[in-house]
Amino acid sequence: RIDPPVEVGGVTIPLEALCIQTYIAKCLGPVEEWENSLRLSAKTGYSMIHFTPLQELGSSGSSYSIYDQLTLSSKIFGGGHGPASEDARHLKLRNAVDTLERMGVLSMTDVVWNHTASNSPWLNDHPEAGYTLDNSPHLKAAYTVDEAILLVSLWMSQGKEGLAPELKSEEDLQNVMKVLRSVLQGLRLWQYFTVDVDSAVLAFRAAIE
């Protein structure tokens, strides 16, 4: 392993000596104001700021659900839209990073290319990039449980199966748990954790021959 050289304020320090603080980028305000927001981190001895992904986020709003991996989020700039050109956005971000470095604080961010939002246009061209029951059959059990939870949630919203649309008491909660437990038991989930050894061995042999 070759560790990259890291300098803070002109002084080279080992990676294990870094003192890192994480900020959720979308909650940090405009990049033009980061200097004021992060000054306390510098004064309290942090040597690096870790930012959650800075790309355009998907419809869920999750900090790790990327709409466009190649575009900086418009929401981290003043006015909520940012410069029109991507080069101008990168320049503003570069200026903010340079300002932090002058304060003695380095920056890093996640590279999460695989954290693609469900509404990303890229998935229209590459649907195989998403998790499906075809390319990830090991997720079938989790998918089945999700469907069951969705069903019970639908029943709640419609007031079916004796479920209250709003939980207002311990009894309401217990009713939800009772119905959900009954639905899950009917799914026979234990079958996902059993293996027909003979059939599995035959399938494996056929696959490698």
Side-chain angles (χ1 to χ4, degrees), residues 17-35:
L18 288 172
C19 185
I20 305 173
Q21 185 174 34
T22 294
Y23 277 90
I24 299 177
K26 68 176 184 179
C27 299
L28 196 52
V31 68
E32 298 88 348
E33 300 176 9
W34 282 7
E35 179 179 359

Side-chain angles (χ1 to χ4, degrees), residues 65-191:
S65 182
I66 310 301
Y67 176 80
D68 186 346
Q69 287 86 348
L70 302 180
T71 303
L72 288 175
S73 172
S74 57
K75 295 183 180 179
I76 67 173
F77 297 97
H81 49 76
S85 75
E86 194 64 19
D87 286 343
R89 293 186 184 190
H90 278 274
L91 180 59
K92 279 184 172 287
L93 181 61
R94 177 73 261 180
N95 290 338
V97 170
D98 288 344
T99 298
L100 285 176
E101 291 189 6
R102 287 193 292 271
M103 294 164 57
V105 180
L106 300 177
S107 305
M108 68 173 290
T109 188
D110 288 303
V111 178
V112 289
W113 307 124
N114 61 322
H115 289 215
T116 303
S118 61
N119 65 319
S120 173
W122 180 74
L123 285 179
N124 292 328
D125 297 325
H126 297 279
E128 77 283 357
Y131 290 114
T132 70
L133 297 185
D134 291 325
N135 63 27
S136 303
H138 61 283
L139 294 178
K140 188 172 182 180
Y143 180 85
T144 301
V145 171
D146 278 349
E147 280 197 315
I149 295 174
L150 180 61
L151 175 63
V152 174
S153 297
L154 180 63
W155 287 347
M156 284 184 64
S157 68
Q158 298 173 344
K160 293 182 177 180
E161 302 297 323
L163 299 175
E166 295 183 24
L167 301 181
K168 296 183 178 180
S169 67
E170 175 71 18
E171 182 181 1
D172 291 341
L173 176 59
Q174 292 298 330
N175 284 339
V176 173
M177 294 174 63
K178 179 181 178 181
V179 171
L180 179 58
R181 189 177 296 113
S182 175
V183 171
L184 292 177
Q185 288 174 345
L187 298 177
R188 299 165 62 87
L189 294 171
W190 59 268
Q191 294 182 103

